[in-house]
Amino acid sequence: MKGSNLTIRIEPNLKKEVSDLFQSLGLDLSTAIEMFYIQALRCHGLPFSVVTDEEPNRKTYMAMKNAENDTNMSGPFESIDDLMESLDT
């Protein structure tokens, strides 16, 4: 059976990493994508859970903590100009 072509845009480094992963599993990209589609049909949706992080990660918590202690942070600001002036000090 002859398949049809699919063209997608993907970041080159991501394509390389995923190609290497699939190759280590004995798959090429076409086969892996076809497997994904088959599973999506079986699940009637994405074959994995898609959720947002409910909690900020450690890096975000650290940035928030640093912002609390930053004496240059103040607000609320009446305008963008006031905010920018505060950042310049």
Side-chain angles (χ1 to χ4, degrees), residues 10 12-30 32:
I10 187 170
N13 289 336
L14 177 59
K15 181 181 178 186
K16 169 84 170 93
E17 287 182 42
V18 79
S19 293
D20 291 347
L21 171 65
F22 292 147
Q23 185 177 15
S24 74
L25 297 170
L27 303 169
D28 59 19
L29 281 174
S30 293

Side-chain angles (χ1 to χ4, degrees), residues 31-72:
T31 303
I33 291 170
E34 187 172 357
M35 290 171 68
F36 170 80
Y37 286 168
I38 291 167
Q39 287 301 314
L41 288 172
R42 286 183 179 159
C43 295
H44 299 283
L46 293 174
F48 49 81
S49 177
V50 178
V51 297
T52 60
D53 292 332
E54 292 187 24
E55 285 289 319
N57 63 25
R58 182 182 174 104
K59 185 175 182 179
T60 302
Y61 274 125
M62 293 303 294
M64 291 165 58
K65 184 155 185 70
N66 290 339
E68 285 177 357
N69 299 326
D70 189 344
T71 58
N72 291 326

Side-chain angles (χ1 to χ4, degrees), residues 70-89:
D70 189 344
T71 58
N72 291 326
M73 297 292 286
S74 60
F77 300 99
E78 297 294 322
S79 69
I80 296 288
D81 291 332
D82 289 346
L83 168 63
M84 297 308 290
E85 185 179 321
S86 173
L87 292 173
D88 287 336
T89 58

